[in-house]
Amino acid sequence: KKEVRAEYPKLEFKALLRALKQKFEGKWQVMLRLHPQVAAKLHNTPKNDLLDEACDVSLHDDISELIAGCDAVLTDYSSCAFDAAYAYMPVFLYADDVDDYRKNRGEFMWKRDELPFSIAETNEQLRENIRAFNEQSYFAGLKEFFHYISLVEDGFASKRVADVILGFMCRDC
């Protein structure tokens, strides 16, 4: 039987916020959106120190709205990393349970070293990845990755689909 890890995130939120502020300046706030099974366990816990350092948005149903309000995204295995990447937003991966994940769920869809995101398995690695973030290199990596996966995102997808449909409809026109 495969199981979902139902532990609290082991992120050091205060240190994360300090690293973000050091690297990118400005004021930072963490919006925490947990997997539904983890969120249910978290909300059933009487005292929760996690929510003192992060705004809990776990019950918000549209992750696209949340991403639109972000300056960077930190995730583990969620496809929201790609949604943020399409918006050319910095994405950092933090996965401290890689071995458990593989044991319980199998291999990843992507080879981790092919992804354009920095990957951390510890809080210290995450802070180092934030400190070392280079916007120019990151955007070049995104461009290369999008080419590799044949992503065609030019703002005209709807027009191309409509043209195909009209082509079928107007064959005898």
Side-chain angles (χ1 to χ4, degrees), residues 1-7 10 76-77 95-108 112 121:
K1 178 182 174 191
K2 297 185 186 236
E3 50 189 65
V4 175
R5 181 176 143 196
E7 298 173 16
K10 294 177 182 165
D76 53 4
Y77 310 104
D96 63 352
D97 63 345
V98 174
D99 293 333
D100 289 340
Y101 185 95
R102 284 187 172 127
K103 183 173 69 177
N104 291 317
R105 295 188 176 185
E107 285 302 314
F108 297 106
R112 289 169 31 126
E121 294 184 16

Side-chain angles (χ1 to χ4, degrees), residues 72-88:
V73 167
L74 169 63
T75 187
D76 53 4
Y77 310 104
S78 173
S79 62
C80 76
F82 298 100
D83 297 330
Y86 297 148
Y88 286 86

Side-chain angles (χ1 to χ4, degrees), residues 2-166:
K2 297 185 186 236
E3 50 189 65
V4 175
R5 181 176 143 196
E7 298 173 16
Y8 302 156
K10 294 177 182 165
L11 280 168
E12 296 170 357
F13 286 97
K14 288 179 182 174
L16 169 66
L17 289 168
R18 276 193 307 273
L20 289 166
K21 185 174 182 177
Q22 267 182 333
K23 178 64 181 182
F24 299 107
E25 300 179 341
K27 185 175 178 179
W28 286 81
Q29 171 71 45
V30 172
M31 290 193 301
L32 180 65
R33 186 166 194 257
L34 299 171
H35 186 282
Q37 290 175 334
V38 177
K41 182 177 179 181
L42 184 67
H43 291 287
N44 290 331
T45 304
K47 172 65 178 125
N48 184 344
D49 294 334
L50 255 182
L51 299 180
D52 292 341
E53 298 175 19
C55 176
D56 181 20
V57 295
S58 299
L59 299 178
H60 192 85
D61 61 348
D62 189 349
I63 194 149
S64 298
E65 290 177 356
L66 297 175
I67 291 173
C70 292
D71 292 313
V73 167
L74 169 63
T75 187
D76 53 4
Y77 310 104
S78 173
S79 62
C80 76
F82 298 100
D83 297 330
Y86 297 148
Y88 286 86
M89 183 180 299
V91 173
F92 300 96
L93 301 183
Y94 174 79
D96 63 352
D97 63 345
V98 174
D99 293 333
D100 289 340
Y101 185 95
R102 284 187 172 127
K103 183 173 69 177
N104 291 317
R105 295 188 176 185
E107 285 302 314
F108 297 106
M109 182 176 167
W110 298 96
K111 291 180 182 167
R112 289 169 31 126
D113 60 345
E114 291 178 352
L115 296 174
F117 316 121
S118 63
I119 301 171
E121 294 184 16
T122 68
N123 281 285
E124 182 52 44
Q125 285 176 337
L126 175 60
R127 290 190 300 273
E128 181 53 38
N129 289 347
I130 292 168
R131 284 190 288 268
F133 180 80
N134 178 292
E135 188 175 86
Q136 190 173 10
S137 296
Y138 175 72
F139 290 148
L142 285 182
K143 184 177 179 181
E144 192 176 298
F145 181 73
F146 293 158
H147 178 74
Y148 170 71
I149 63 170
S150 301
L151 177 70
V152 179
E153 185 62 44
D154 61 4
F156 294 98
S158 296
K159 181 187 179 325
R160 282 194 297 277
V161 170
D163 289 346
V164 168
I165 293 169
L166 289 173

